[in-house]
Amino acid sequence: MTSDRWEPAAFKARVDEVLRRFVAQQADEFAAIDPSLGAVAEQLEAAVADGKRLRAAFCYWGWRAVGQPDNDALLRAAASIELVHAAAVVHDDLIDDSPLRHGRPTAHVTLRGAVGRRPGADAAGRSLAMLVGDLLMALAGQLFATSGVPAAYLVRARPLWSVMARELIAGECLEILHTGAGPDTETSLKVIRYKTAKYTAEQPLLIGGALAGAGARLREGYSAYGLPLGEAFQLRDDLLGLFGDPEHTGKASADDVRGQRPTALLAETWHLAGDGERELLHALLGRGDLDTKGLDAVRGMMRRLKAPDRIEDMIGARVEEALDALHQLEVPAHATAALTALAHSAAVRLF
């Protein structure tokens, strides 16, 4: 991609190739330590095999919107944020005990099988998955530091990595602390803001901008655009998690209900529900043995109460807020066009 025209498929292919080569080399070096590490090394590669590469794209356009040209070194730096995402996904699936991701068994499920039938295999599989996530986070920093971007540029952006990690972990902690608690929309929005929204759009934009030397006004604009858009992304994810086609989403539909996670969708449903409906919700939420009939009952209640429509309204309002902020930025026209397209890709999708 050498022109100013935004070509998402070409960009994704470039990022995929960077990640594939880098992680394959790291996995080979890891497995060379001992043959028994082969299954763990395979999970490193599996963790980066799929993805929309939105985080890399936001970082890339955070750079380009300053007026900087396309650059292979910058692309590698942007790709490193996808490794942060891969680490977060492995950890998140472990914390939530999710069985599927992209239609395949998650890391801790796969690694449980690699341990065999010895006592404690389940705990061993979970421990191995935790370490896969830890290693992916370390590799993210390595790819960023060795991307080829000049050291003086990296120094400008490096502090933002600490902010990104702190906020991401804070969001995950908030979700754990509020899982199973009384549903509350504001609490749910705070969870998604820190767990997902900031590291999905805002922080990648700010990192790309810092690498490029963006001024304070542009950085403020990046936040005004990126934060509501990141929230819209996660709100869409929550809707798809329950109402999306598992063939497209690659995830188990009942996870949020069985785990009674603090999603805005569940909080809005609770807020709209009457006493009888709350009694039914209380009986169904958090049940690990929830069957299809119970899940359909929750979905039916949500539809009757129009809770999904409330979430759609939240998504629409945040996309509008993001685009309003974008159109106030003094950036090249091709950057505005690309960031507009990315906004729709993040908020309007089937998986």
Side-chain angles (χ1 to χ4, degrees):
M1 185 175 63
T2 57
S3 73
D4 285 338
R5 182 182 174 189
W6 175 229
E7 299 174 356
F11 178 83
K12 181 182 183 306
R14 290 174 71 192
V15 173
D16 285 347
E17 182 63 11
V18 167
L19 293 172
R20 185 191 66 77
R21 289 188 177 210
F22 176 75
V23 176
Q25 179 184 350
Q26 297 299 321
D28 286 347
E29 292 176 2
F30 183 81
I33 295 171
D34 189 277
S36 64
L37 295 171
V40 182
E42 288 175 6
Q43 287 307 301
L44 290 172
E45 296 188 83
V48 298
D50 302 283
K52 293 174 277 294
R53 310 313 183 200
L54 282 174
R55 293 158 185 86
F58 282 122
C59 182
Y60 175 85
W61 283 105
W63 163 274
R64 294 293 309 275
V66 181
Q68 296 281 10
D70 179 78
N71 182 287
D72 285 339
L74 184 279
L75 187 93
R76 288 191 289 275
S80 70
I81 301 178
E82 294 295 333
L83 291 174
V84 174
H85 176 54
V89 164
V90 171
H91 284 153
D92 195 47
D93 287 341
L94 176 60
I95 291 166
D96 293 341
D97 201 22
S98 297
L100 293 174
R101 173 73 65 167
H102 299 298
R104 299 190 301 270
T106 47
H108 63 281
V109 173
T110 301
L111 290 168
R112 180 191 308 151
V115 173
R117 295 188 177 184
R118 64 179 173 83
D122 183 70
R126 296 178 69 84
S127 296
L128 289 170
M130 177 184 67
L131 294 169
V132 167
D134 291 347
L135 183 51
L136 285 166
M137 189 66 83
L139 292 178
Q142 181 181 342
L143 180 56
F144 184 77
T146 62
S147 62
V149 173
Y153 292 17
L154 294 176
V155 167
R156 293 195 295 243
R158 193 64 186 177
L160 293 173
W161 275 72
S162 296
V163 176
M164 180 168 60
R166 180 173 66 244
E167 293 180 340
L168 170 57
I169 293 170
E172 192 71 68
C173 290
L174 285 172
E175 183 178 66
I176 293 168
L177 290 167
H178 291 288
T179 290
D184 177 76
T185 301
E186 286 305 311
T187 297
S188 298
L189 291 173
K190 189 167 190 177
V191 169
I192 69 171
R193 185 173 307 130
Y194 284 93
K195 182 189 170 188
T196 303
K198 282 178 165 285
Y199 97 95
T200 294
E202 182 193 22
Q203 289 293 350
L205 280 162
L206 290 172
I207 288 170
L211 290 170
R217 183 176 178 184
L218 184 53
R219 294 196 305 270
E220 290 172 3
Y222 281 172
S223 290
Y225 161 84
L227 186 54
L229 185 57
E231 291 181 356
F233 174 88
Q234 185 56 44
L235 288 168
R236 173 65 63 201
D237 210 55
D238 290 345
L239 275 179
L240 290 172
L242 197 52
F243 291 98
D245 183 349
E247 290 293 320
H248 291 299
T249 65
K251 301 176 186 178
S253 299
D255 280 1
D256 287 347
V257 177
R258 284 179 180 152
Q260 198 175 345
R261 294 175 193 150
T263 68
L265 178 58
L266 287 175
E268 284 296 294
T269 302
W270 184 267
H271 174 73
L272 294 166
D275 290 342
E277 291 159 328
R278 287 185 176 186
E279 188 174 330
L280 177 59
L281 279 174
H282 185 72
L284 295 174
L285 295 179
R287 285 187 55 175
D289 62 347
L290 185 74
D291 58 14
T292 301
K293 182 178 179 181
L295 185 60
D296 286 343
V298 174
R299 287 193 185 112
M301 182 189 303
M302 288 177 168
R303 290 191 179 103
R304 287 194 305 275
L305 295 171
K306 300 189 182 302
D309 295 341
R310 296 280 287 266
I311 302 303
E312 289 286 0
D313 290 343
M314 290 182 186
I315 293 170
R318 282 161 174 76
V319 172
E320 184 178 354
E321 181 183 349
L323 293 177
D324 285 347
L326 172 62
H327 293 141
Q328 293 178 38
L329 298 181
E330 295 180 3
V331 298
H334 61 271
T336 299
L339 290 169
T340 299
L342 280 169
H344 291 292
S345 296
V348 183
R349 55 196 169 89
L350 296 176
F351 59 93

